[in-house]
Structure formats: C-alpha cells, structure tokens
C-alpha cells in the first residue's frame, strides 16, 4: 500500500470513529481510559496551589473586563428584573417555611452579633435625632393635650386645648420657653434614654420574641409574588446597582483581602485533597463516570456532528496525519 493510500485509510478510520453510529462508543472508551489513568494520578501530580493562584490572578484579578462582557452581564440582570416584574411565583415557593424557620433559628443563635448590630444602630446620630423628636412631641402633647386630667375628667380635654390657645394669645413667648426647656431636658438625658433603649432591645429580642417576629414576617410576605416583591424596586435603582457592583468588583479584586481569602481557600483545598487520586476525588464530588459520559453526550456530540458536517474535523485530521505520513516520504527520498 502506498503512503497516500495509508494516509487516506487512516483518515477514514478516524472519521468513522466519530460518525453518528460510533461516536458514543468512542466517547465512552476515551472517558473510561482517562478515568482509569486518573486512578494513579494525584491532584498534586497535575496541579498545585501556586498554579491555581496564578491562574486566578491572570483571569480574575489582572484580566480587564471587556465592554462586551460587561454589557452582557448588565443585560442579563435587566432581563432577570423584567422577568421578576411579571412572575407570579410566590415567595414561599422559593423559600419554604421550614428553611425560613431554620434561618430564624440561626439569627436567634447570633446573640453577640445581634448585640453588636443593636449597639451600632442606637449609637447612630440619626437614631438620637429620632428618639429626641419622639420624646419631644410625646412629652409636649401629653402635657398640653393628653395628660391624665384630660383623660379622666369629662370635657377637660377641650378645656386644656382651649386654655392652650388662650395661653398662646396671652403669653405667646411662654410656649416657646417651654419648648426650649423641654429640648434642653431631652438633650441632657438623651444618652441615658438611648442606653435604656439599647438594654430594652437586647433584653426584648429573646428567642420567643424573635420567633414571633419571624412569624409576622412570614405571614406578611410568604404569599407575595415575585412581581409584588420586585414592584417596589425602581428600574433606575437596578441600573445604579449594576454600575456600583461593577466598580466594587474592579476595586475588590485588587485588594490584599480578596487575594488572602482566595489563597486560604485554594491552599486549604490542596492540603485536604492534594494526595488524593483524581478519580476518587471527582467521584466524591459526584462527578462519576456515568455523569461525565452523560454530559459528554449532551455537549460533545452536537459539536462533533457539526464538525463532520462542515468538513472541519476531516481537514484537521487530514492535516495532522498528513504531517506524520509526509515524514516517511522525506525519508524515502533521502535514501
């Protein structure tokens, strides 16, 4: 048989292994052989923590985000938002009650975190302003309109209001003076009030109260549809959030904190699994031979069929094998 005839026979043999009749058997054989080989190959044999970190640095840290990728991500977020605005799936279908209750129990267990959050909240200047305003209006309204005398004596409330109007006419600066004294009193005692409110919140938010609060949240939201939940989110807020998220990621991925977290995860993975053979590691993660074959059928076969249909695979096989057989022709000429 001539060299060209051998080349042609070899090309046709390889193409036959990939046709519709034989492609599944070829895939099964190659996957089985690869997994058998991987029984004797550890993770450390073919990869390292340093190599994975280098890949992450190249692709997740240093590689710029292309405009097309950013546009694609943004459009996907918009598409999800548009879908949610019309979706009638109820919240309880996404988060079942038993899972919601487990989340509540987790929050109940986070006592130290809850106390820390409460302290941060009540120490905020806005909270101080809120408490001051509530105290001011509450004390003033009680003294001038809703005191115990007005509540217990018929008609006294009207007399108090009438007296207040008359007082404002007769001594217009008197109520202003009362206001100043009241504000002065509140400002002098606001810190004690805030401390008391913090203590109240810490003592009140016990397990039974938290469970009751969880029940109220569930009852108020479980039956709401995704359209109702997302209805309060304005489209402009979505656009702004996308832009903020992009800028945050571009900054965050460059921080030493991100690098340290990823490094800890990667090194921990290799410390735990580095000496395991790759096949058993894959199987422990649920990636069995059957799973690999199933996914290869789903994704590889359409690509192979298209490659055969367009002649791409034949051209590549012929070029690769042609280079091999050509060397024998060169050797014959040299002799």
């Amino acid at each position: 048989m001539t060299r060209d005839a051998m080349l042609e026979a070899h090309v046709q043999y390889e193409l036959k292994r990939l046709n519709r009749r034989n492609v599944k058997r070829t895939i099964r054989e190659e996957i089985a052989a690869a997994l058998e080989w991987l029984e004797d190959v550890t993770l450390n044999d073919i990869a390292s923590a340093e190599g994975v970190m280098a890949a992450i640095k190249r692709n997740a840290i240093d590689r710029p985000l292309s405009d097309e990728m950013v546009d694609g991500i943004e459009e996907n977020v918009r598409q999800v938002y548009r879908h949610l605005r019309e979706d009638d799936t109820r919240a309880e279908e996404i988060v079942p009650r038993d899972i919601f209750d487990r989340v509540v129990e987790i929050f109940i267990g986070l006592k130290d975190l809850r106390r820390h959050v409460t302290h941060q909240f009540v120490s905020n200047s806005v909270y101080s302003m809120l408490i001051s305003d509530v105290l001011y209006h509450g004390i003033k309204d009680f003294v001038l309109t809703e005191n115990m005398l007005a509540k217990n004596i018929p008609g006294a409330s009207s007399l108090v209001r009438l007296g207040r109007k008359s007082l404002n006419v007769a001594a217009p600066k008197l109520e202003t003076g009362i206001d100043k004294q009241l504000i002065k009193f509140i400002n002098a005692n606001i810190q004690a009030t805030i401390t008391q409110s913090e203590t109240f919140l810490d003592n009140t938010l016990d397990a039974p109260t938290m469970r009751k609060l969880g029940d109220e949240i569930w009852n108020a939201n479980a039956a709401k549809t995704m359209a109702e939940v997302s209805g309060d989110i304005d489209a402009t807020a979505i656009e702004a959030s996308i832009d903020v998220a992009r800028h945050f990621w571009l900054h965050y991925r460059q921080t030493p904190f991100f690098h340290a977290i990823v490094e800890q995860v990667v090194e921990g993975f290799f410390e735990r699994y580095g000496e395991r053979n790759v096949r058993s590691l894959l199987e422990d993660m649920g990636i069995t031979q059957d799973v690999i074959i199933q996914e290869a059928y789903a994704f590889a076969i359409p690509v192979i069929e298209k490659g055969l249909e367009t002649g791409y695979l034949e051209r590549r096989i012929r070029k690769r094998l042609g280079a091999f057989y050509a060397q024998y022709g060169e050797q014959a000429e040299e002799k």
Side-chain angles (χ1 to χ4, degrees), residues 23 43 60 168 241 243 246 286 288:
V23 66
L43 180 61
N168 287 334
S241 299
D243 186 63
R246 179 169 67 88
T288 64

Side-chain angles (χ1 to χ4, degrees), residues 151-297:
K151 286 188 174 182
N152 291 299
I153 301 178
S157 179
S158 299
L159 290 173
V160 169
R161 287 194 292 270
L162 178 61
R164 180 182 179 186
K165 293 177 182 178
S166 301
L167 181 65
N168 287 334
V169 173
K173 294 183 178 180
L174 182 59
E175 185 172 356
T176 302
I178 294 174
D179 284 348
K180 290 180 179 180
Q181 291 297 317
L182 183 55
I183 292 172
K184 182 179 179 181
F185 171 80
I186 291 173
N187 289 337
N189 294 274
I190 188 64
Q191 190 55 52
T193 303
I194 289 174
T195 300
Q196 291 173 359
S197 70
E198 180 177 358
T199 302
F200 173 79
L201 288 173
D202 287 337
N203 294 334
T204 302
L205 293 178
D206 55 9
T209 304
M210 292 286 288
R211 292 190 183 98
K212 182 180 179 181
L213 177 61
D215 289 340
E216 293 175 357
I217 293 174
W218 175 266
N219 293 333
N221 296 284
K224 286 186 177 181
T225 65
M226 290 298 99
E228 292 173 323
V229 172
S230 61
D232 295 331
I233 304 175
D234 190 82
T236 55
I238 294 294
E239 296 294 331
S241 299
I242 293 172
D243 186 63
V244 169
R246 179 169 67 88
H247 283 85
F248 169 76
W249 169 245
L250 291 175
H251 167 75
Y252 176 65
R253 69 178 187 170
Q254 298 289 343
T255 62
F257 177 81
F258 172 75
H259 188 277
I261 291 295
V262 174
E263 189 173 44
Q264 286 291 318
V265 172
V266 172
E267 289 181 352
F269 185 85
F270 274 86
E271 288 176 4
R272 183 173 182 179
Y273 299 112
E275 294 302 320
R276 292 278 302 278
N277 75 72
V278 178
R279 178 169 187 170
S280 66
L281 178 58
L282 290 174
E283 289 177 347
D284 286 349
M285 294 180 177
I287 308 175
T288 64
Q289 180 170 320
D290 289 341
V291 170
I292 298 173
I293 289 174
Q294 180 182 8
E295 297 306 318
Y297 285 171

